[in-house]
Amino acid sequence: MKTLLPNPDALSLSELVAQMVVVRASGFLFDHEIRYPVWEPTAAVLQHYVKDLGVGGVILLGASAGEIALRTQQLQTWANIPLLICADVEEGVGQRFSGATWFPPPMSLAEIAQKDLTLACHYAEQMGKVTAQESLAIGLNWVLAPTVDVNNNPNNPVINVRAFGETPEIVSALATAFIQGAHSHRVLTTAKHFPGHGDTEIDSHLELPTIPHDRDRLDQIELPPFKAAIAAGVDSVMSAHLQIPAFDPNYPATLSSKVLTDTLRQELGFEGLISTDAMIMGAIANNYGTEESCILAIEAGADILMMPVEPEKTIQAVCDAVESGRLSRDRIQASVERIWRAKQKVCLTPTSTEDPHAWEGSPSPALETERLTQQLGQSNTLNAEILRQSMKVHRPNVPQVSHGRNLIIVDDLVDCDFLTRTAPAIALPQPFGFTQTEIIDRHTPAIHTDDYAAFPTLLQLFIRGNPFRGIAGLTDSAQFWFDFLLQKNQLQAIVIYGSPYILDQFVPKLSQNIPYVFTFGQMQSAQAIALQTLFSA
């Protein structure tokens, strides 16, 4: 087999190490629009990372799909070696970048699978296909999906509805279908978070969770979906920031050779890219430090360092570890060769030669934003089918009042892009008499209920897991208003968007004459379908 880097001196040590680094960047082109300045560099610094340091990839967040197309072109123009450009698009490209298709969370397919696994697998395959197609249309070549964690803990704040279900059989089937669909286009796919983040109640964005189960349990529940993903040809596997004593009592999975090398590489036979989860996350950064954690991850077997806190210092620290003999150059070279194979797959243009190095000088792939627009009709139809098939409805009567309250509760209204002035959650209840719209989030000051006017109320709750906040279940505000409206006999109907575990908690308390609708989606298409169902004659 011909090596992809026949001359080890073709790149300097720092250039080799830089290829292992993926930096976070805003999708917005202008610095004043950056939303997370602690994590997202200015354009000048980003250009330095890409052009001067030669980082291997960029992960994007924020902006519209159209602006992302411009951003990815800009990034590839800066790069001397084509970049892997990725995003967390587990629910479709529109989850992160407005204008593209935003599917309901993967757990919606698990709901369908309980009734018709064949249909659910069809939807999963189509979801993978659309996600890959729209990614390529705007310049993304690495899809950070599917999530193959088995969410068997309802209190899980970080996985929750991101999972394809609560059993390894359903998760394996749906994840396999998603990967097969995505591979109909030239993108990389990712199974995450190895060896399984489904049974935690601690958010690894904030702290280090522990999975206490023995190896037999891990073999039965956590590992089968990863085995299925590998069998389906998944291109990369992302590690979990978890302490799992059954594998390694000393190091979390991301930093454990027993997990990444002994188990994933050798036991499961995975030959693709191993990526860390974001190295800025508290589970790692707060316990192991910026530079040491990255060295430990490479020692453990990681090929990609995802979002290190300080990329330049990270590259230098890894180079120093090689110079000191702690890491070998061969170890770095092995990772870069895997990166080369991945880039060869997604960076070659159709007119490129068979030369395995042709991608290094090949032009950036042509963007196809017009095709994205043309195919939105089909993807919107698929989206609506999944939403309707996974919805839960109890509608003993049609709620219509002369003057009622539309009470909407969200976690944080500032980051609530799906509640615009014309959003269905606001506009659709009005013709049915729910004209007094009130929106409450965790920042809303406490209201003295003694002075709260009595109105028949439609309660709409937007609740799902919130990474970086550690929230999986009911907020205090949502619980209070649900109980208050029931006690005062003001609750006319309830719509829940997001977590099915919230519905499970509420239904036993509802009388049979109160209608409800549950939908996994929170986007405006989900709002429209849910409310049209609720108010339909």
Side-chain angles (χ1 to χ4, degrees):
M1 176 179 170
K2 182 182 287 186
T3 177
L4 291 174
L5 290 178
N7 181 1
D9 298 324
L11 296 177
S12 68
L13 176 60
S14 63
E15 289 171 331
L16 288 170
V17 173
Q19 283 294 303
M20 301 172 68
V21 173
V22 172
V23 298
R24 162 87 171 256
S26 169
F28 294 102
L29 293 171
F30 303 110
D31 290 347
H32 67 271
E33 292 186 286
I34 290 175
R35 295 182 178 180
Y36 305 97
V38 174
W39 300 330
E40 297 169 351
T42 62
V45 174
L46 180 59
Q47 184 174 13
H48 170 64
Y49 289 162
V50 172
K51 186 174 183 179
D52 302 327
L53 298 184
V55 297
V58 178
I59 178 171
L60 294 171
L61 181 67
S64 68
E67 192 163 7
I68 290 295
L70 297 176
R71 173 63 108 184
T72 57
Q73 280 189 321
Q74 178 189 63
L75 290 167
Q76 296 290 15
T77 300
W78 288 343
N80 297 314
I81 297 173
L83 297 163
L84 296 178
I85 304 181
C86 59
D88 285 301
V89 287
E90 301 160 4
E91 300 169 25
V93 174
Q95 177 191 11
R96 302 297 180 191
F97 312 116
S98 62
T101 304
W102 185 3
F103 290 108
M107 194 174 281
S108 63
L109 297 183
E111 178 67 24
I112 299 171
Q114 293 177 26
K115 298 171 287 188
D116 189 337
L117 180 59
T118 301
L119 179 62
C121 286
H122 167 72
Y123 286 149
E125 183 177 358
Q126 293 303 307
M127 184 187 294
K129 186 177 295 186
V130 170
T131 300
Q133 191 171 38
E134 293 189 357
S135 293
L136 285 177
I138 60 174
L140 304 174
N141 53 27
W142 186 7
V143 172
L144 298 182
T147 296
V148 303
D149 304 302
V150 180
N151 195 79
N152 47 30
N153 188 333
N155 296 319
N156 193 323
V158 64
I159 303 302
N160 207 269
V161 294
R162 297 167 63 193
F164 276 113
E166 300 172 332
T167 67
E169 295 79 13
I170 287 179
V171 172
S172 296
L174 295 177
T176 295
F178 181 95
I179 292 166
Q180 291 171 340
H183 280 169
S184 63
H185 300 278
R186 291 189 311 124
V187 298
L188 302 180
T189 52
T190 308
K192 56 188 186 183
H193 306 79
F194 188 81
H197 207 317
D199 196 3
T200 65
E201 295 188 17
I202 293 174
D203 185 353
S204 54
H205 294 83
L206 305 173
E207 302 175 55
L208 180 63
T210 296
I211 301 288
H213 304 305
D214 61 24
R215 180 60 196 264
D216 286 344
R217 148 63 196 252
L218 296 169
D219 285 337
Q220 293 173 12
I221 303 297
E222 276 74 20
L223 292 184
F226 288 97
K227 293 178 181 178
I230 292 169
V234 75
D235 303 281
S236 61
V237 172
M238 179 178 286
S239 68
H241 297 333
L242 300 171
Q243 190 81 49
I244 310 176
F247 282 124
D248 190 333
N250 300 315
Y251 289 104
T254 296
L255 311 181
S256 171
S257 61
K258 294 179 180 179
V259 173
L260 300 189
T261 298
D262 296 353
T263 304
L264 181 54
R265 280 270 184 245
Q266 297 176 2
E267 183 180 334
L268 301 190
F270 179 63
E271 298 179 353
L273 286 177
I274 296 178
S275 171
T276 71
D277 204 345
M279 297 300 282
I280 62 168
M281 291 166 59
I284 296 298
N286 296 345
N287 294 292
Y288 293 91
T290 301
E291 298 167 16
E292 177 65 12
S293 62
C294 290
I295 296 171
L296 287 170
I298 295 174
E299 285 182 323
D303 302 307
I304 296 287
L305 301 173
M306 185 69 68
M307 291 173 58
V309 178
E310 298 178 280
E312 199 154 6
K313 288 184 178 180
T314 294
I315 294 169
Q316 185 60 54
V318 175
C319 288
D320 291 344
V322 174
E323 297 293 348
S324 71
R326 180 177 176 182
L327 290 170
S328 70
R329 188 182 178 103
D330 287 346
R331 170 67 194 85
I332 304 300
Q333 189 84 14
S335 285
V336 174
E337 293 207 5
R338 280 188 281 268
I339 294 168
W340 250 231
R341 286 194 288 271
K343 289 191 172 184
Q344 182 182 346
K345 175 178 178 178
V346 298
C347 296
L348 278 169
T349 61
T351 57
S352 298
T353 70
E354 295 300 319
D355 178 0
H357 294 275
W359 62 270
E360 297 176 53
S362 66
S364 300
L367 301 177
E368 300 177 338
T369 51
E370 289 186 3
R371 180 176 294 181
L372 185 152
T373 303
Q374 294 167 0
Q375 296 178 344
L376 275 178
Q378 293 180 348
S379 59
N380 286 339
T381 299
L382 172 65
N383 192 26
E385 287 181 14
I386 296 173
L387 285 166
R388 289 193 175 94
Q389 291 284 351
S390 61
M391 194 163 54
K392 299 179 181 183
V393 180
H394 173 69
R395 194 172 59 85
N397 53 57
V398 180
Q400 187 163 2
V401 298
S402 59
H403 184 57
R405 178 186 291 111
N406 177 16
L407 181 59
I408 301 172
I409 298 180
V410 299
D411 179 56
D412 191 343
L413 188 57
V414 173
D415 292 325
C416 199
D417 294 337
F418 49 78
L419 274 185
T420 62
R421 183 183 301 274
T422 57
I426 295 173
L428 284 185
Q430 293 180 4
F432 297 91
F434 297 98
T435 55
Q436 182 177 323
T437 301
E438 298 179 17
I439 304 176
I440 293 175
D441 71 358
R442 59 189 170 90
H443 304 293
T444 303
I447 297 173
H448 296 291
T449 54
D450 291 342
D451 302 326
Y452 197 65
F455 286 108
T457 300
L458 166 65
L459 179 62
Q460 299 191 71
L461 301 177
F462 290 81
I463 300 179
R464 57 175 289 178
N466 283 280
F468 279 108
R469 290 268 326 286
I471 294 176
L474 284 176
T475 60
D476 291 341
S477 178
Q479 183 69 69
F480 169 80
W481 283 108
F482 176 76
D483 291 339
F484 172 79
L485 294 172
L486 275 182
Q487 179 186 356
K488 298 297 184 181
N489 200 30
Q490 296 178 27
L491 185 62
Q492 296 295 300
I494 182 169
V495 183
I496 299 174
Y497 307 89
S499 172
Y501 304 116
I502 306 304
L503 178 67
D504 292 342
Q505 293 177 59
F506 278 179
V507 165
K509 300 179 181 180
L510 291 173
S511 65
Q512 282 296 310
N513 66 328
I514 297 180
Y516 66 78
V517 175
F518 167 79
T519 177
F520 285 89
Q522 295 188 328
M523 71 291 285
Q524 294 194 10
S525 58
Q527 297 170 30
I529 291 171
L531 289 168
Q532 287 164 2
T533 300
L534 177 69
F535 290 115
S536 62

